[in-house]
PDB file of all heavy atoms in Angstrom:
ATOM      1  N   ASP A  54       7.841 -34.520  46.961  1.00 97.00           N
ATOM      2  CA  ASP A  54       8.794 -33.431  46.926  1.00 97.00           C
ATOM      3  C   ASP A  54      10.057 -33.830  47.674  1.00 97.00           C
ATOM      4  O   ASP A  54      10.074 -33.920  48.888  1.00 97.00           O
ATOM      5  CB  ASP A  54       8.122 -32.202  47.599  1.00 97.00           C
ATOM      6  CG  ASP A  54       9.035 -30.995  47.607  1.00 97.00           C
ATOM      7  OD1 ASP A  54      10.231 -31.106  47.200  1.00 97.00           O
ATOM      8  OD2 ASP A  54       8.539 -29.906  48.056  1.00 97.00           O
ATOM      9  N   GLY A  56      12.389 -32.177  48.623  1.00 98.00           N
ATOM     10  CA  GLY A  56      12.637 -31.203  49.674  1.00 98.00           C
ATOM     11  C   GLY A  56      11.943 -31.523  50.985  1.00 98.00           C
ATOM     12  O   GLY A  56      12.278 -30.946  52.016  1.00 98.00           O
ATOM     13  N   ALA A  99      -2.450 -63.238  72.503  1.00 91.00           N
ATOM     14  CA  ALA A  99      -2.072 -64.218  73.537  1.00 91.00           C
ATOM     15  C   ALA A  99      -2.286 -65.623  73.016  1.00 91.00           C
ATOM     16  O   ALA A  99      -1.481 -66.534  73.317  1.00 91.00           O
ATOM     17  CB  ALA A  99      -2.929 -63.958  74.751  1.00 91.00           C
ATOM     18  N   LEU A 172      -1.791 -58.821  65.408  1.00 98.00           N
ATOM     19  CA  LEU A 172      -1.909 -57.576  64.594  1.00 98.00           C
ATOM     20  C   LEU A 172      -0.556 -57.219  64.018  1.00 98.00           C
ATOM     21  O   LEU A 172       0.466 -57.230  64.736  1.00 98.00           O
ATOM     22  CB  LEU A 172      -2.440 -56.450  65.456  1.00 98.00           C
ATOM     23  CG  LEU A 172      -3.940 -56.210  65.524  1.00 98.00           C
ATOM     24  CD1 LEU A 172      -4.269 -55.064  66.338  1.00 98.00           C
ATOM     25  CD2 LEU A 172      -4.579 -56.082  64.118  1.00 98.00           C
ATOM     26  N   ALA A 235       5.922 -37.563   7.724  1.00 98.00           N
ATOM     27  CA  ALA A 235       7.207 -37.109   7.171  1.00 98.00           C
ATOM     28  C   ALA A 235       8.163 -36.756   8.340  1.00 98.00           C
ATOM     29  O   ALA A 235       7.773 -36.761   9.494  1.00 98.00           O
ATOM     30  CB  ALA A 235       6.960 -35.859   6.310  1.00 98.00           C
ATOM     31  N   ALA A 311     -22.361 -39.677  31.116  1.00 97.00           N
ATOM     32  CA  ALA A 311     -22.205 -40.338  29.850  1.00 97.00           C
ATOM     33  C   ALA A 311     -21.332 -41.602  30.053  1.00 97.00           C
ATOM     34  O   ALA A 311     -20.410 -41.544  30.851  1.00 97.00           O
ATOM     35  CB  ALA A 311     -21.552 -39.442  28.832  1.00 97.00           C
ATOM     36  N   VAL A 346       1.163 -29.690   7.129  1.00 98.00           N
ATOM     37  CA  VAL A 346       0.792 -31.059   7.374  1.00 98.00           C
ATOM     38  C   VAL A 346       1.717 -31.486   8.495  1.00 98.00           C
ATOM     39  O   VAL A 346       2.964 -31.658   8.270  1.00 98.00           O
ATOM     40  CB  VAL A 346       0.926 -31.963   6.174  1.00 98.00           C
ATOM     41  CG1 VAL A 346       0.532 -33.451   6.559  1.00 98.00           C
ATOM     42  CG2 VAL A 346       0.128 -31.483   5.017  1.00 98.00           C
TER      43      VAL A 346
END
Side-chain angles (χ1 to χ4, degrees):
D54 181 354
L172 270 181
V346 178

